[in-house]
Amino acid sequence: MIIIANCIKLNPFHRIFNTSSYKTNEVIHKSEDHLENIPHKHFYENHQEQKELVPFVQKCEIIYYEEKPLILFDLNGTLLNGYNTQQQRQIVFRPGINSLKKLKNKFEVGIYSCMRDYNVKECVQRLEQSLGENFFTIILDQNHCVKAPKDVCEYLNKPYAMMKPIDKHSHFTRKSISKILLIDDSKYKVLREEKKNLILIPTWTNEQNDNTLEVLVRSLLRHVPHQGDVRKASHFINSKIKMLSK
């Protein structure tokens, strides 16, 4: 269960729950168990004036809802392939791309790619022309990636290899790491400590008889729990996907 409340920021280390005129659109997630541990007095500094805010629990506007898990998809080799021609950039979708629509009732769906932001934007625009406007709620690009460790770069023979940290961006995704799965065609894109968040699928090389996305969507709908830790399903789903390549 998640608690949502309006708040104001005092500084990077203090957040106030308050329904006064100092509202922002920021959403703060707190578990119900932690409410009693939050201090009852804070100060808001406005130039030289200080205003005391009385115990926030009496002023807090709280809404309860069940948090949807977040599924993040890689782009190249996972959902599509892109090619640069003399005329324009060609983008070809993996077969079964429209099956992603079935995920929207149970999950939030996003993109996490190591491509540059303008390339990601173009791909997302093309995808949403097929899937529906604003289909993806979260978009993460190369700006959200980190450089891979030296051993990974050497193994891949890619001196500028990138990785995709997940928990690092929880303030942006507004999800705990236990509520996020990453669908990718490379196991080297995930931090070692976040391997359980990865669903590894075969790289698509334009085969038209590929049914990976249909199998993946069915598995996500059937086996990922709506409540609790979604990572518990990753091992089983990975074993189902692995069978496709045999």
Side-chain angles (χ1 to χ4, degrees):
M1 185 68 70
I2 297 299
I3 296 175
I4 304 179
N6 291 311
C7 70
I8 61 173
K9 273 190 177 181
L10 294 182
N11 59 52
F13 306 101
H14 293 84
R15 286 169 174 170
I16 301 299
F17 289 78
N18 189 290
T19 56
S20 70
S21 60
Y22 298 104
K23 288 183 180 179
T24 72
N25 291 324
E26 183 176 0
V27 174
I28 298 299
H29 288 187
K30 283 287 181 183
S31 72
E32 191 171 9
D33 297 335
H34 290 154
L35 274 178
E36 61 185 26
N37 298 323
I38 302 175
H40 282 188
K41 285 189 178 182
H42 293 278
F43 291 88
Y44 177 83
E45 186 173 353
N46 184 6
H47 300 292
Q48 297 179 351
E49 179 185 7
Q50 282 191 335
K51 296 181 180 180
E52 182 178 355
L53 300 178
V54 296
F56 77 89
V57 175
Q58 298 175 10
K59 296 187 173 186
C60 188
E61 179 184 356
I62 300 175
I63 303 170
Y64 293 87
Y65 80 110
E66 293 298 334
E67 183 184 20
K68 282 185 176 182
L70 172 63
I71 309 295
L72 293 172
F73 283 89
D74 173 50
L75 287 174
N76 257 354
T78 297
L79 293 184
L80 52 82
N81 279 320
Y83 306 92
N84 291 320
T85 66
Q86 292 181 347
Q87 290 76 28
Q88 61 180 352
R89 181 172 172 80
Q90 299 290 331
I91 297 176
V92 184
F93 296 150
R94 191 170 194 154
I97 193 71
N98 285 320
S99 64
L100 268 61
K101 294 178 182 179
K102 300 176 183 178
L103 298 174
K104 286 294 284 185
N105 288 335
K106 185 175 179 180
F107 305 103
E108 290 186 36
V109 184
I111 294 295
Y112 200 165
S113 171
C114 290
M115 292 194 298
R116 294 185 182 276
D117 53 358
Y118 52 84
N119 286 327
V120 171
K121 182 179 180 180
E122 181 184 7
C123 290
V124 169
Q125 287 177 342
R126 300 275 191 95
L127 281 167
E128 291 190 327
Q129 288 175 0
S130 175
L131 298 171
E133 186 178 359
N134 299 324
F135 183 84
F136 300 104
T137 58
I138 300 291
I139 309 295
L140 301 173
D141 53 44
Q142 189 179 103
N143 295 314
H144 301 91
C145 299
V146 297
K147 191 177 186 305
K150 183 179 179 181
D151 60 325
V152 173
C153 293
E154 290 178 348
Y155 179 80
L156 297 175
N157 196 25
K158 293 181 178 180
Y160 301 107
M162 307 289 284
M163 301 182 80
K164 303 174 181 179
I166 299 172
D167 194 39
K168 178 181 179 181
H169 302 301
S170 60
H171 64 287
F172 181 67
T173 62
R174 304 195 189 283
K175 306 285 183 185
S176 67
I177 193 169
S178 66
K179 302 294 288 186
I180 301 174
L181 291 174
L182 173 65
I183 315 299
D184 208 301
D185 67 325
S186 172
K187 63 182 180 180
Y188 299 103
K189 294 290 179 66
V190 181
L191 303 184
R192 291 182 177 92
E193 61 270 25
E194 296 179 349
K195 290 293 187 183
K196 290 183 179 180
N197 294 85
L198 174 67
I199 303 294
L200 183 65
I201 68 173
T203 301
W204 183 53
T205 53
N206 289 20
E207 301 91 347
Q208 291 306 305
N209 62 344
D210 181 271
N211 68 338
T212 301
L213 290 183
E214 288 96 335
V215 173
L216 172 66
V217 167
R218 287 198 301 268
S219 297
L220 290 171
L221 291 172
R222 183 174 300 175
H223 300 295
V224 175
H226 185 269
Q227 299 179 350
D229 193 335
V230 299
R231 296 172 296 184
K232 294 178 180 179
S234 63
H235 178 74
F236 182 79
I237 296 175
N238 275 317
S239 65
K240 295 276 288 186
I241 299 298
K242 194 173 183 179
M243 293 174 62
L244 295 174
S245 58
K246 291 185 178 180

